[in-house]
Amino acid sequence: MRDYKIAPSILSADFARLGEEVTNVIASGADIVHFDVMDNHYVPNLTIGPLVCEALRKHGVKADIDVHLMVKPVDRIIPDFAKAGATYITFHPEGSEHIDRSLQLVRDSGCKCGLVFNPATPLDYLKYVMDKVDMILLMSVNPGFGGQSFIRSSLDKLREVRKLIDASGRPIRLEIDGGVKVDNIREIAEAGADTFVAGSAIFSAGKPGDPNRYNSVVKAMRDELAKAKG
């Protein structure tokens, strides 16, 4: 059985109580904090920067922080997020003039690195950098906004990347982001994903009666993943 990781996207959290929200969702059984960075340039939205990442660390968040850079260019901001406490830093190939150099910059900054592919972005780049990535993130929605529906063609793309990872023999995580919910997470896992970003599906399902507010929805996802074949 694969080592499945659930990565709540804090883009859907209550930002007035962000430290508390992240503490609760990790205590509820989630694994990774997914941190969406948008620049109102590469994508039509503006979100959060390194100071928020640093604030979460100062708040006491110990879990891995997975920083997804939807910005262009990426090189200027990579060291800032590394210094702020990022564990993973992933970026879109369209956001870098020199992808190999940007990946190396992430590594040199002390973080794990990865590439992100939009639904219509070809996977050709991977042929040249499989030895340099720790994570491959497939977008199953078009980036820029939360709450979108899952694009089903992403399942075929997941299967394709899973074959590439298995053939490489490298411990590369395969992450999916967009429209992941309790009722489709099993199918997504069976297509090859091992790391699942979910925003509104988790943060809109909080229950005051749960010990840490999000226990029920995280458990429901875990139960579905336990049924996955592959």
Side-chain angles (χ1 to χ4, degrees):
M1 184 175 177
R2 292 199 184 99
D3 177 27
Y4 294 127
K5 302 286 188 184
I6 295 175
S9 169
I10 62 171
L11 188 64
S12 298
D14 181 351
F15 270 66
R17 302 184 299 111
L18 186 57
E20 178 186 346
E21 286 272 74
V22 173
T23 297
N24 282 343
V25 80
I26 295 299
S28 296
D31 305 289
I32 298 172
V33 180
H34 190 76
F35 199 99
D36 287 306
V37 184
M38 306 182 191
D39 66 355
N40 194 34
H41 174 65
Y42 176 66
V43 291
N45 205 348
L46 184 65
T47 59
I48 46 182
L51 290 177
V52 178
C53 183
E54 183 180 11
L56 288 176
R57 288 302 191 202
K58 288 181 177 178
H59 181 73
V61 174
K62 304 295 185 185
D64 287 350
I65 295 180
D66 168 26
V67 174
H68 172 197
L69 295 179
M70 288 167 273
V71 306
K72 184 178 181 177
V74 297
D75 287 6
R76 168 61 187 83
I77 202 74
I78 285 171
D80 293 346
F81 271 104
K83 185 178 179 181
T87 309
Y88 290 91
I89 297 178
T90 64
F91 62 90
H92 295 251
E94 300 93 337
S96 172
E97 293 295 328
H98 304 282
I99 295 167
D100 186 272
R101 183 182 297 166
S102 297
L103 289 170
Q104 191 60 51
L105 177 59
V106 176
R107 288 269 181 92
D108 290 346
S109 299
C111 297
K112 297 178 181 180
C113 61
L115 280 182
V116 189
F117 294 87
N118 290 332
T121 302
L123 298 169
D124 298 356
Y125 301 99
L126 289 177
K127 298 175 185 178
Y128 309 100
V129 295
M130 286 294 284
D131 60 330
K132 295 180 174 65
V133 296
D134 301 291
M135 180 181 284
I136 298 166
L137 169 54
L138 297 188
M139 296 300 298
S140 42
V141 297
N142 288 297
F145 299 94
Q148 299 181 66
S149 298
F150 184 83
I151 296 174
R152 289 195 58 80
S153 61
S154 303
L155 294 172
D156 289 334
K157 207 168 189 180
L158 275 172
R159 295 182 186 100
E160 187 176 352
V161 178
R162 172 50 59 193
K163 289 178 182 178
L164 291 172
I165 291 174
D166 290 348
S168 76
R170 298 179 181 276
I172 300 169
R173 299 207 68 85
L174 177 50
E175 188 172 37
I176 189 78
D177 182 0
V180 177
K181 300 180 291 186
V182 172
D183 61 8
N184 66 7
I185 195 170
R186 176 182 175 183
E187 183 180 21
I188 294 168
E190 290 177 342
D194 55 41
T195 307
F196 308 86
V197 178
S200 57
I202 290 178
F203 286 105
S204 66
K207 293 184 177 179
D210 280 354
N212 303 291
R213 188 167 176 79
Y214 301 107
N215 305 69
S216 295
V217 65
V218 173
K219 181 181 184 301
M221 288 182 168
R222 293 271 184 221
D223 289 347
E224 286 300 306
L225 288 172
K227 303 173 188 174
K229 300 175 183 178

